[in-house]
Amino acid sequence: MDYKKLTAERLKEHLEIDVDTLEGLIEVPPRPEMGDYAFPCFQLAKSLKKAPNIIASELKDKINAEGYEKVENLGPYVNFFVDKGTFTKNTVNKILVEKECYGSSTIGDGENIIVEYSSPNIAKPFHVGHLSTTVIGNSLYKIFSFEGYNVERINHLGDWGTQFGKLISAYKRWVDEEALEKHPISELLRIYVKFHDEADKDPSLEDEGRMYFKKLEQGDSEAVALWDRFRKLSLKEFNNIYEMLNVDFDSWAGESFYNDKMDSIVKELEEKGLLVESNGAKVVMLDEYNMPPCIVLKSDGASIYATRDLAAAMYRKKTYDFSKAIYVVGKDQALHFNQVFKVLELAGHDWAKNCIHVPFGIVRFAEKKLSTRKGDVILLDELLSEAVSKTLEVINEKNPTLDNKEEVAKKVGIGAVVFTYLRNSRERDIVFDWKEILNFEGETGPYVQYTYARAKSILRKVGEVSEESDFSKLQSKEEFELVKTLDGFQASILYAIEKLEPSVVTRYIIDVAKAFNKFYNAHSVANVDDISLKSARIKLVEATCQVIKNGLGLIGIETVEKM
Ligand code: ARG
């Protein structure tokens, strides 16, 4: 139950201010003796021509105090003391009635949002950095959808560009067909790296690569068939990862999709006088905005990464009529997106301001060094498999008789990695340390999962209680803190939307788990003689489970009933 809103509505009965503004003015006092909410009257003094403390005292006398323990006034403030019993009953019942919908709303009103995420590159490994964009994007999709937005999930695959010409040339020279079928991406990477080594010695190889890309652009059947094969082989590997993570997309339109859609934006930029020649290339000058020029066509006339992004933005606006287009891409591409969005703006598309780059930090490893150079990249499927096997070890130690251990290890292990990625604000770098990630006592996925499973086991143990619950008996500090935390679920989701920051929800889930453990350490659920109190505590545990489950769902993690 939203007491802040209720408080605003009660105030509204006596003031000429709209509810939203009132809600914004209401404060949460620093000390409990000042109530749960306080309304400051300073800003009313001028219009009402009265001293703030007089206004406060008059308001306090007039206000409808039903549902509050009491309403008082301290100096220029009206102080509201929530009736704990009513608050608890309303909150817990709401959760148990709304179940998996608790926390959701229709606030988004069907507004169209694009979330572009993951977007790995064909023929290149899906590395730990791609996991960031994948899990952040997936979570933003879930969060926005939960609040009633209409979200289109796009995987902007890196499946076009001069590197495919080089790859075709490398394929023709050095491929090992058997290896290609077995481990496609590592074989493609091997010949691609070899191409660069050889081209250092024989620069004419570069020309050959360019020639093949030209063929590809012109639709040459052999070049297209090879490109298509590389793409399919890579996608098969990517799909394994998406399956492990339970991640999906509505559109897989990658860079190649825009091959025949770039002419119109190039023409438009030309007509609007924005394109200038620079060393044979065509560029949009951005020095006025303290940025290097945005290259639109290279000197050989070929398109480039930015050209495809310009075309993609135009296409998406036309196709999805978005109110927001979110690009979840590493912060090293900030300049690229600033350039692309600026060019769109200069071309007169004021919706460019609704294109938002959502950056994130890099992943570092406590133990191993992460490097692409030597080809010893840490591959994501290996990382996830390791998470699962390490979790299985812990389970074998802690609970060797558990049913379907593999299944549990999969959810908890992969969940632990995802949780780590979404735990801190996304722009912070992640230091990946197995000991910390799988620690059941830290602020980790396993800690939250274990809290959930423990709460579930309490519920199994106590079974059904038919007696009415008396929520007014849940008066302890720990109980009320837990209820207040559960009540804050939707507020945390809305804040996550405002900040485009799934970590807000992750941190919230940690708060719920902590509040629950404090409650459970201080109070028994099973051994209570007063049945109406016992029943209320059971409901509180049920509500907690529901909120943890809904919360984890929003960051893309499944719960387990036992572990
Ligand atoms: N494929 C790129 C990479 O792996 C990311 C694509 C980002 N999205 C975009 N619209 N440019 O670095």
Side-chain angles (χ1 to χ4, degrees):
M1 161 155 177
D2 193 343
Y3 254 96
K4 200 171 183 189
K5 181 157 231 138
L6 179 72
T7 306
E9 280 163 0
R10 293 285 166 83
L11 285 163
K12 163 86 192 126
E13 290 168 16
H14 307 284
L15 296 170
E16 303 273 303
I17 306 177
D18 65 88
V19 176
D20 286 345
T21 311
L22 286 168
E23 222 184 309
L25 292 170
I26 293 169
E27 297 172 3
V28 175
R31 289 197 306 276
E33 61 271 24
M34 297 161 89
D36 298 293
Y37 297 104
F39 178 68
C41 296
F42 309 102
Q43 68 290 336
L44 299 174
K46 218 170 165 187
S47 59
L48 297 179
K49 297 197 177 66
K50 274 186 205 162
N53 41 350
I54 308 228
I55 301 171
S57 134
E58 287 177 0
L59 264 176
K60 171 222 132 194
D61 289 337
K62 281 191 279 191
I63 216 118
N64 173 4
E66 202 194 318
Y68 295 89
E69 188 190 310
K70 58 186 176 188
V71 178
E72 285 183 345
N73 120 264
L74 269 168
Y77 288 92
V78 189
N79 305 67
F80 296 83
F81 295 76
V82 163
D83 180 64
K84 294 194 174 68
T86 313
F87 177 72
T88 301
K89 182 169 145 204
N90 289 345
T91 304
V92 172
N93 281 340
K94 183 176 161 79
I95 297 168
L96 296 180
V97 166
E98 295 185 1
K99 294 206 168 65
E100 64 281 359
C101 296
Y102 176 69
S104 70
S105 74
T106 53
I107 288 171
D109 200 21
E111 215 175 88
N112 297 326
I113 306 271
I114 287 180
V115 185
E116 188 219 275
Y117 58 104
S118 199
S119 315
N121 301 317
I122 297 302
K124 298 249 181 74
F126 194 113
H127 57 71
V128 292
H130 285 120
L131 183 58
S132 298
T133 152
T134 305
V135 299
I136 294 169
N138 183 48
S139 178
L140 287 176
Y141 150 68
K142 292 192 182 233
I143 288 171
F144 271 101
S145 308
F146 205 52
E147 300 306 328
Y149 293 85
N150 179 35
V151 185
E152 182 77 11
R153 300 165 289 178
I154 302 182
N155 193 338
H156 189 75
L157 292 170
D159 60 359
W160 205 248
T162 38
Q163 70 271 29
F164 288 95
K166 298 178 186 173
L167 202 59
I168 291 171
S169 157
Y171 172 89
K172 293 187 151 242
R173 289 167 180 271
W174 306 297
V175 82
D176 172 348
E177 279 293 343
E178 210 174 291
L180 184 63
E181 281 303 321
K182 252 203 204 127
H183 302 289
I185 292 181
S186 50
E187 177 60 7
L188 290 171
L189 185 66
R190 181 188 73 80
I191 59 174
Y192 187 68
V193 170
K194 188 166 170 68
F195 181 92
H196 282 275
D197 290 345
E198 297 292 327
D200 280 346
K201 291 175 247 161
D202 174 9
S204 74
L205 270 179
E206 295 281 354
D207 296 329
E208 187 176 300
R210 263 192 289 276
M211 182 268 293
Y212 278 120
F213 182 56
K214 194 119 245 153
K215 283 192 166 191
L216 185 59
E217 276 189 306
Q218 289 160 349
D220 172 84
S221 61
E222 190 200 12
V224 171
L226 281 173
W227 166 83
D228 191 49
R229 181 154 170 236
F230 302 154
R231 196 175 183 273
K232 288 211 172 90
L233 286 168
S234 305
L235 275 177
K236 214 170 108 196
E237 286 196 35
F238 296 158
N239 275 323
N240 284 337
I241 293 168
Y242 293 139
E243 220 163 275
M244 279 199 254
L245 293 168
N246 225 335
V247 164
D248 207 353
F249 303 90
D250 303 302
S251 160
W252 297 75
E255 293 184 46
S256 67
F257 180 76
Y258 301 99
N259 182 35
D260 60 356
K261 298 176 182 61
M262 289 179 286
D263 290 351
S264 61
I265 180 72
V266 175
K267 214 167 131 224
E268 184 186 333
L269 295 176
E270 195 118 59
E271 278 166 11
K272 293 185 170 158
L274 290 163
L275 273 194
V276 296
E277 289 252 349
S278 168
N279 297 327
K282 296 217 169 157
V283 308
V284 178
M285 296 307 286
L286 297 173
D287 37 348
E288 236 181 277
Y289 311 97
N290 287 322
M291 286 188 271
C294 180
I295 302 175
V296 177
L297 292 178
K298 293 200 283 189
S299 50
D300 61 359
S303 67
I304 185 171
Y305 188 49
T307 329
R308 295 186 280 276
D309 259 320
L310 289 167
M314 297 295 287
Y315 174 85
R316 291 172 186 175
K317 183 64 194 174
K318 194 174 83 211
T319 310
Y320 305 110
D321 191 26
F322 58 77
S323 62
K324 233 192 223 109
I326 293 165
Y327 295 73
V328 188
V329 185
K331 61 180 165 194
D332 54 335
Q333 293 194 32
L335 173 62
H336 163 75
F337 285 108
N338 281 333
Q339 289 176 306
V340 167
F341 300 160
K342 187 49 110 185
V343 170
L344 290 168
E345 186 195 315
L346 292 175
H349 303 295
D350 64 342
W351 49 263
K353 65 178 184 300
N354 304 324
C355 295
I356 305 161
H357 174 214
V358 171
F360 51 82
I362 59 162
V363 185
R364 283 180 288 127
F365 280 73
E367 295 142 43
K368 245 189 239 174
K369 248 224 151 76
L370 181 70
S371 109
T372 348
R373 277 277 145 255
K374 297 209 183 72
D376 63 343
V377 250
I378 297 187
L379 300 176
L380 195 64
D381 45 358
E382 283 168 18
L383 185 92
L384 294 178
S385 309
E386 199 171 339
V388 175
S389 64
K390 281 188 151 61
T391 308
L392 194 58
E393 275 169 35
V394 181
I395 294 176
N396 277 329
E397 205 180 282
K398 289 199 174 213
N399 192 358
T401 59
L402 182 72
D403 292 338
N404 51 23
K405 277 187 270 189
E406 272 77 24
E407 187 62 31
V408 174
K410 222 165 128 184
K411 287 187 182 164
V412 176
I414 292 176
V417 175
V418 173
F419 198 92
T420 303
Y421 268 70
L422 297 178
R423 191 180 55 179
N424 294 319
S425 41
R426 53 182 159 71
E427 291 199 52
R428 249 172 75 175
D429 292 350
I430 298 170
V431 181
F432 206 92
D433 181 352
W434 282 120
K435 276 203 279 313
E436 199 199 315
I437 287 168
L438 299 177
N439 183 355
F440 279 49
E441 264 117 59
E443 295 184 340
T444 63
Y447 165 72
V448 173
Q449 299 258 32
Y450 186 64
T451 303
Y452 178 86
R454 190 155 80 138
K456 278 282 169 171
S457 97
I458 298 167
L459 293 174
R460 281 192 299 272
K461 224 176 280 158
V462 293
E464 290 274 317
V465 173
S466 50
E467 186 86 7
E468 268 298 301
S469 315
D470 186 348
F471 290 103
S472 68
K473 290 178 178 164
L474 301 183
Q475 289 282 347
S476 72
K477 197 173 97 224
E478 295 82 14
E479 286 161 323
F480 193 57
E481 269 310 308
L482 176 56
V483 174
K484 270 218 299 223
T485 309
L486 296 179
D487 175 59
F489 185 35
Q490 194 185 37
S492 87
I493 302 171
L494 296 178
Y495 191 56
I497 286 184
E498 191 189 318
K499 296 277 169 206
L500 299 172
E501 186 61 91
S503 67
V504 173
V505 174
T506 316
R507 303 228 63 102
Y508 169 80
I509 305 166
I510 295 172
D511 289 344
V512 173
K514 281 187 178 165
F516 175 79
N517 286 317
K518 271 198 192 135
F519 152 73
Y520 190 60
N521 288 339
H523 307 280
S524 175
V525 178
N527 304 317
V528 184
D529 294 331
D530 179 343
I531 301 296
S532 66
L533 168 62
K534 180 173 174 174
S535 165
R537 285 207 180 134
I538 292 174
K539 294 235 164 94
L540 179 57
V541 177
E542 268 174 31
T544 305
C545 287
Q546 188 68 59
V547 175
I548 293 180
K549 193 181 177 110
N550 293 7
L552 285 177
L554 290 181
I555 57 170
I557 298 176
E558 273 182 86
T559 48
V560 295
E561 300 298 300
K562 293 183 186 175
M563 74 184 263

